[in-house]
Amino acid sequence: MAYKISADCISCGACESECPVSAISAGDDKYVIDADLCIDCGACAGVCPVEAPKAE
């Protein structure tokens, strides 16, 4: 099951560089995760200062 970034995202970008499959990119108002690419590793959640990435 893919991770999803909640509205708590502060657009700091910490998660994007941590993703091993490059599934995270900057969206209009927050970062977004491509569910088709996400491998559910949780690396993004581990570096997020506001715990925005959540397992769906």
Side-chain angles (χ1 to χ4, degrees):
M1 200 158 220
Y3 273 69
K4 188 170 186 178
I5 297 178
S6 72
D8 296 334
C9 178
I10 58 172
S11 296
C12 69
C15 60
E16 184 178 21
S17 61
E18 202 62 30
C19 182
V21 294
S22 300
I24 302 173
S25 60
D28 291 336
D29 58 346
K30 65 177 181 159
Y31 276 76
V32 293
I33 298 175
D34 183 331
D36 292 333
L37 296 176
C38 180
I39 58 171
D40 197 31
C41 69
C44 56
V47 297
C48 181
V50 295
E51 300 177 2
K54 309 272 188 217
E56 286 287 306

